[in-house]
mmCIF file of all heavy atoms in Angstrom:
data_model
loop_
_atom_site.group_PDB
_atom_site.id
_atom_site.type_symbol
_atom_site.label_atom_id
_atom_site.label_comp_id
_atom_site.label_asym_id
_atom_site.label_seq_id
_atom_site.Cartn_x
_atom_site.Cartn_y
_atom_site.Cartn_z
ATOM 1 N N TYR W 242 96.269 -84.487 94.574
ATOM 2 C CA TYR W 242 96.997 -83.224 94.339
ATOM 3 C C TYR W 242 97.851 -83.442 93.058
ATOM 4 O O TYR W 242 98.474 -84.465 92.909
ATOM 5 C CB TYR W 242 97.881 -82.940 95.534
ATOM 6 C CG TYR W 242 97.103 -82.532 96.757
ATOM 7 C CD1 TYR W 242 96.591 -83.516 97.610
ATOM 8 C CD2 TYR W 242 96.904 -81.224 97.072
ATOM 9 C CE1 TYR W 242 95.923 -83.176 98.750
ATOM 10 C CE2 TYR W 242 96.160 -80.837 98.204
ATOM 11 C CZ TYR W 242 95.685 -81.798 99.022
ATOM 12 O OH TYR W 242 94.945 -81.463 100.131
ATOM 13 N N GLU W 243 97.807 -82.411 92.271
ATOM 14 C CA GLU W 243 98.524 -82.526 90.997
ATOM 15 C C GLU W 243 99.713 -81.519 90.935
ATOM 16 O O GLU W 243 99.568 -80.396 91.409
ATOM 17 C CB GLU W 243 97.592 -82.226 89.854
ATOM 18 C CG GLU W 243 98.201 -82.446 88.455
ATOM 19 C CD GLU W 243 97.166 -82.369 87.367
ATOM 20 O OE1 GLU W 243 96.465 -83.355 87.103
ATOM 21 O OE2 GLU W 243 97.050 -81.274 86.736
ATOM 22 N N SER W 244 100.820 -81.943 90.337
ATOM 23 C CA SER W 244 102.024 -81.097 90.202
ATOM 24 C C SER W 244 102.521 -81.213 88.778
ATOM 25 O O SER W 244 102.295 -82.197 88.089
ATOM 26 C CB SER W 244 103.095 -81.475 91.152
ATOM 27 O OG SER W 244 102.682 -81.399 92.481
ATOM 28 N N SER W 245 103.283 -80.196 88.374
ATOM 29 C CA SER W 245 103.830 -80.237 86.991
ATOM 30 C C SER W 245 105.193 -79.508 87.026
ATOM 31 O O SER W 245 105.462 -78.657 87.881
ATOM 32 C CB SER W 245 102.933 -79.579 85.984
ATOM 33 O OG SER W 245 102.721 -78.227 86.328
ATOM 34 N N ALA W 246 106.050 -79.862 86.064
ATOM 35 C CA ALA W 246 107.359 -79.257 85.980
ATOM 36 C C ALA W 246 107.941 -79.355 84.559
ATOM 37 O O ALA W 246 107.440 -80.168 83.748
ATOM 38 C CB ALA W 246 108.331 -80.031 86.945
ATOM 39 N N LEU W 247 108.867 -78.503 84.266
ATOM 40 C CA LEU W 247 109.546 -78.458 82.968
ATOM 41 C C LEU W 247 110.969 -78.875 83.147
ATOM 42 O O LEU W 247 111.691 -78.295 83.940
ATOM 43 C CB LEU W 247 109.408 -77.049 82.409
ATOM 44 C CG LEU W 247 109.540 -76.900 80.886
ATOM 45 C CD1 LEU W 247 108.434 -77.650 80.138
ATOM 46 C CD2 LEU W 247 109.472 -75.452 80.452
ATOM 47 N N LEU W 248 111.378 -79.832 82.321
ATOM 48 C CA LEU W 248 112.696 -80.333 82.377
ATOM 49 C C LEU W 248 113.517 -79.902 81.132
ATOM 50 O O LEU W 248 113.050 -80.222 80.048
ATOM 51 C CB LEU W 248 112.746 -81.880 82.491
ATOM 52 C CG LEU W 248 114.136 -82.526 82.484
ATOM 53 C CD1 LEU W 248 114.909 -82.206 83.705
ATOM 54 C CD2 LEU W 248 113.981 -84.054 82.350
ATOM 55 N N LYS W 249 114.607 -79.211 81.340
ATOM 56 C CA LYS W 249 115.481 -78.847 80.160
ATOM 57 C C LYS W 249 116.562 -79.923 80.005
ATOM 58 O O LYS W 249 117.223 -80.301 80.925
ATOM 59 C CB LYS W 249 116.099 -77.511 80.450
ATOM 60 C CG LYS W 249 117.001 -77.070 79.324
ATOM 61 C CD LYS W 249 117.723 -75.715 79.587
ATOM 62 C CE LYS W 249 118.623 -75.302 78.482
ATOM 63 N NZ LYS W 249 119.375 -74.080 78.794
ATOM 64 N N ILE W 250 116.638 -80.383 78.732
ATOM 65 C CA ILE W 250 117.616 -81.425 78.406
ATOM 66 C C ILE W 250 118.969 -80.772 78.241
ATOM 67 O O ILE W 250 119.123 -79.725 77.602
ATOM 68 C CB ILE W 250 117.211 -82.147 77.126
ATOM 69 C CG1 ILE W 250 115.893 -82.854 77.291
ATOM 70 C CG2 ILE W 250 118.336 -83.158 76.734
ATOM 71 C CD1 ILE W 250 115.326 -83.479 76.055
ATOM 72 N N GLY W 251 120.010 -81.388 78.923
ATOM 73 C CA GLY W 251 121.350 -80.792 78.916
ATOM 74 C C GLY W 251 122.043 -80.955 77.575
ATOM 75 O O GLY W 251 121.487 -81.539 76.638
ATOM 76 N N PHE W 252 123.289 -80.479 77.510
ATOM 77 C CA PHE W 252 124.049 -80.552 76.234
ATOM 78 C C PHE W 252 125.517 -80.728 76.500
ATOM 79 O O PHE W 252 126.023 -80.589 77.597
ATOM 80 C CB PHE W 252 123.755 -79.263 75.455
ATOM 81 C CG PHE W 252 124.250 -78.014 76.158
ATOM 82 C CD1 PHE W 252 125.576 -77.578 76.048
ATOM 83 C CD2 PHE W 252 123.405 -77.270 76.947
ATOM 84 C CE1 PHE W 252 126.042 -76.473 76.694
ATOM 85 C CE2 PHE W 252 123.849 -76.165 77.630
ATOM 86 C CZ PHE W 252 125.216 -75.715 77.512
ATOM 87 N N TYR W 253 126.262 -80.969 75.411
ATOM 88 C CA TYR W 253 127.692 -80.977 75.418
ATOM 89 C C TYR W 253 128.166 -80.531 74.073
ATOM 90 O O TYR W 253 127.335 -80.312 73.140
ATOM 91 C CB TYR W 253 128.241 -82.409 75.760
ATOM 92 C CG TYR W 253 127.919 -83.410 74.641
ATOM 93 C CD1 TYR W 253 128.816 -83.736 73.656
ATOM 94 C CD2 TYR W 253 126.682 -84.112 74.702
ATOM 95 C CE1 TYR W 253 128.509 -84.686 72.677
ATOM 96 C CE2 TYR W 253 126.323 -85.046 73.720
ATOM 97 C CZ TYR W 253 127.258 -85.324 72.733
ATOM 98 O OH TYR W 253 126.965 -86.222 71.742
ATOM 99 N N HIS W 254 129.422 -80.328 73.856
ATOM 100 C CA HIS W 254 129.964 -79.920 72.571
ATOM 101 C C HIS W 254 130.975 -80.952 72.086
ATOM 102 O O HIS W 254 131.570 -81.669 72.887
ATOM 103 C CB HIS W 254 130.673 -78.582 72.684
ATOM 104 C CG HIS W 254 129.776 -77.393 72.826
ATOM 105 N ND1 HIS W 254 129.143 -77.095 74.088
ATOM 106 C CD2 HIS W 254 129.379 -76.470 71.972
ATOM 107 C CE1 HIS W 254 128.402 -76.067 73.886
ATOM 108 N NE2 HIS W 254 128.550 -75.623 72.646
ATOM 109 N N GLU W 255 131.109 -81.082 70.790
ATOM 110 C CA GLU W 255 132.065 -81.970 70.212
ATOM 111 C C GLU W 255 132.624 -81.350 69.010
ATOM 112 O O GLU W 255 132.131 -80.358 68.432
ATOM 113 C CB GLU W 255 131.407 -83.316 69.821
ATOM 114 C CG GLU W 255 130.350 -83.264 68.754
ATOM 115 C CD GLU W 255 129.752 -84.592 68.395
ATOM 116 O OE1 GLU W 255 129.974 -85.561 69.193
ATOM 117 O OE2 GLU W 255 129.153 -84.703 67.374
ATOM 118 N N ILE W 256 133.825 -81.893 68.540
ATOM 119 C CA ILE W 256 134.499 -81.387 67.363
ATOM 120 C C ILE W 256 134.122 -82.265 66.170
ATOM 121 O O ILE W 256 134.266 -83.490 66.227
ATOM 122 C CB ILE W 256 136.027 -81.381 67.563
ATOM 123 C CG1 ILE W 256 136.384 -80.516 68.737
ATOM 124 C CG2 ILE W 256 136.710 -80.926 66.277
ATOM 125 C CD1 ILE W 256 137.859 -80.555 69.087
ATOM 126 N N ARG W 257 133.610 -81.612 65.137
ATOM 127 C CA ARG W 257 133.246 -82.335 63.953
ATOM 128 C C ARG W 257 133.708 -81.560 62.719
ATOM 129 O O ARG W 257 133.336 -80.436 62.525
ATOM 130 C CB ARG W 257 131.684 -82.592 63.851
ATOM 131 C CG ARG W 257 131.219 -83.432 62.737
ATOM 132 C CD ARG W 257 129.700 -83.624 62.793
ATOM 133 N NE ARG W 257 129.303 -84.345 63.919
ATOM 134 C CZ ARG W 257 128.031 -84.634 64.246
ATOM 135 N NH1 ARG W 257 127.031 -84.173 63.425
ATOM 136 N NH2 ARG W 257 127.736 -85.230 65.317
ATOM 137 N N ASP W 258 134.500 -82.240 61.892
ATOM 138 C CA ASP W 258 135.096 -81.560 60.735
ATOM 139 C C ASP W 258 135.814 -80.275 61.109
ATOM 140 O O ASP W 258 135.747 -79.264 60.348
ATOM 141 C CB ASP W 258 134.026 -81.264 59.633
ATOM 142 C CG ASP W 258 133.369 -82.551 59.170
ATOM 143 O OD1 ASP W 258 134.032 -83.584 59.074
ATOM 144 O OD2 ASP W 258 132.123 -82.485 58.818
ATOM 145 N N GLY W 259 136.435 -80.278 62.269
ATOM 146 C CA GLY W 259 137.241 -79.109 62.666
ATOM 147 C C GLY W 259 136.436 -78.014 63.374
ATOM 148 O O GLY W 259 136.988 -77.047 63.867
ATOM 149 N N ASN W 260 135.121 -78.209 63.388
ATOM 150 C CA ASN W 260 134.241 -77.217 64.058
ATOM 151 C C ASN W 260 133.661 -77.722 65.325
ATOM 152 O O ASN W 260 133.454 -78.917 65.487
ATOM 153 C CB ASN W 260 133.052 -76.909 63.092
ATOM 154 C CG ASN W 260 133.571 -76.290 61.779
ATOM 155 O OD1 ASN W 260 134.405 -75.393 61.761
ATOM 156 N ND2 ASN W 260 132.991 -76.745 60.685
ATOM 157 N N ILE W 261 133.440 -76.818 66.304
ATOM 158 C CA ILE W 261 132.780 -77.126 67.578
ATOM 159 C C ILE W 261 131.271 -76.977 67.449
ATOM 160 O O ILE W 261 130.802 -75.911 67.081
ATOM 161 C CB ILE W 261 133.327 -76.188 68.698
ATOM 162 C CG1 ILE W 261 134.866 -76.424 68.936
ATOM 163 C CG2 ILE W 261 132.572 -76.487 70.011
ATOM 164 C CD1 ILE W 261 135.425 -75.490 69.935
ATOM 165 N N ILE W 262 130.591 -78.086 67.681
ATOM 166 C CA ILE W 262 129.107 -78.035 67.536
ATOM 167 C C ILE W 262 128.488 -78.545 68.842
ATOM 168 O O ILE W 262 129.086 -79.306 69.605
ATOM 169 C CB ILE W 262 128.646 -78.876 66.372
ATOM 170 C CG1 ILE W 262 129.073 -80.410 66.537
ATOM 171 C CG2 ILE W 262 129.123 -78.407 65.046
ATOM 172 C CD1 ILE W 262 128.446 -81.336 65.535
ATOM 173 N N ILE W 263 127.258 -78.066 69.068
ATOM 174 C CA ILE W 263 126.527 -78.427 70.290
ATOM 175 C C ILE W 263 125.667 -79.664 69.998
ATOM 176 O O ILE W 263 125.087 -79.753 68.922
ATOM 177 C CB ILE W 263 125.705 -77.233 70.782
ATOM 178 C CG1 ILE W 263 125.096 -77.532 72.195
ATOM 179 C CG2 ILE W 263 124.595 -76.824 69.809
ATOM 180 C CD1 ILE W 263 124.454 -76.303 72.793
ATOM 181 N N GLN W 264 125.565 -80.512 71.032
ATOM 182 C CA GLN W 264 124.709 -81.721 70.900
ATOM 183 C C GLN W 264 123.946 -81.901 72.210
ATOM 184 O O GLN W 264 124.425 -81.707 73.285
ATOM 185 C CB GLN W 264 125.618 -82.986 70.734
ATOM 186 C CG GLN W 264 126.397 -83.005 69.428
ATOM 187 C CD GLN W 264 125.535 -83.469 68.240
ATOM 188 O OE1 GLN W 264 124.286 -83.350 68.288
ATOM 189 N NE2 GLN W 264 126.155 -83.893 67.193
ATOM 190 N N PRO W 265 122.656 -82.259 72.109
ATOM 191 C CA PRO W 265 121.804 -82.461 73.227
ATOM 192 C C PRO W 265 122.186 -83.856 73.897
ATOM 193 O O PRO W 265 122.659 -84.728 73.217
ATOM 194 C CB PRO W 265 120.361 -82.556 72.681
ATOM 195 C CG PRO W 265 120.509 -82.927 71.277
ATOM 196 C CD PRO W 265 121.851 -82.442 70.782
ATOM 197 N N LEU W 266 122.017 -83.957 75.149
ATOM 198 C CA LEU W 266 122.317 -85.223 75.829
ATOM 199 C C LEU W 266 121.293 -86.320 75.515
ATOM 200 O O LEU W 266 121.542 -87.495 75.702
ATOM 201 C CB LEU W 266 122.345 -85.011 77.347
ATOM 202 C CG LEU W 266 123.574 -84.280 77.903
ATOM 203 C CD1 LEU W 266 123.421 -83.910 79.329
ATOM 204 C CD2 LEU W 266 124.847 -85.167 77.731
ATOM 205 N N ASP W 267 120.130 -85.890 75.045
ATOM 206 C CA ASP W 267 119.076 -86.835 74.686
ATOM 207 C C ASP W 267 118.169 -86.168 73.669
ATOM 208 O O ASP W 267 117.946 -84.917 73.711
ATOM 209 C CB ASP W 267 118.276 -87.263 75.920
ATOM 210 C CG ASP W 267 118.383 -88.749 76.166
ATOM 211 O OD1 ASP W 267 118.281 -89.495 75.192
ATOM 212 O OD2 ASP W 267 118.521 -89.176 77.322
ATOM 213 N N SER W 268 117.546 -87.006 72.862
ATOM 214 C CA SER W 268 116.448 -86.454 72.021
ATOM 215 C C SER W 268 115.216 -86.384 72.935
ATOM 216 O O SER W 268 114.907 -87.224 73.724
ATOM 217 C CB SER W 268 116.182 -87.475 70.873
ATOM 218 O OG SER W 268 114.896 -87.344 70.363
ATOM 219 N N ALA W 269 114.468 -85.231 72.733
ATOM 220 C CA ALA W 269 113.246 -85.021 73.511
ATOM 221 C C ALA W 269 112.263 -86.136 73.254
ATOM 222 O O ALA W 269 111.567 -86.685 74.212
ATOM 223 C CB ALA W 269 112.626 -83.694 73.189
#
Side-chain angles (χ1 to χ4, degrees):
Y242 292 82
E243 187 172 278
S244 300
S245 61
L247 201 61
L248 175 69
K249 181 183 178 183
I250 299 173
F252 62 86
Y253 65 95
H254 287 76
E255 66 179 14
I256 301 173
R257 185 178 296 177
D258 298 328
N260 298 315
I261 295 177
I262 60 172
I263 189 170
Q264 294 281 21
L266 286 169
D267 242 318
S268 154

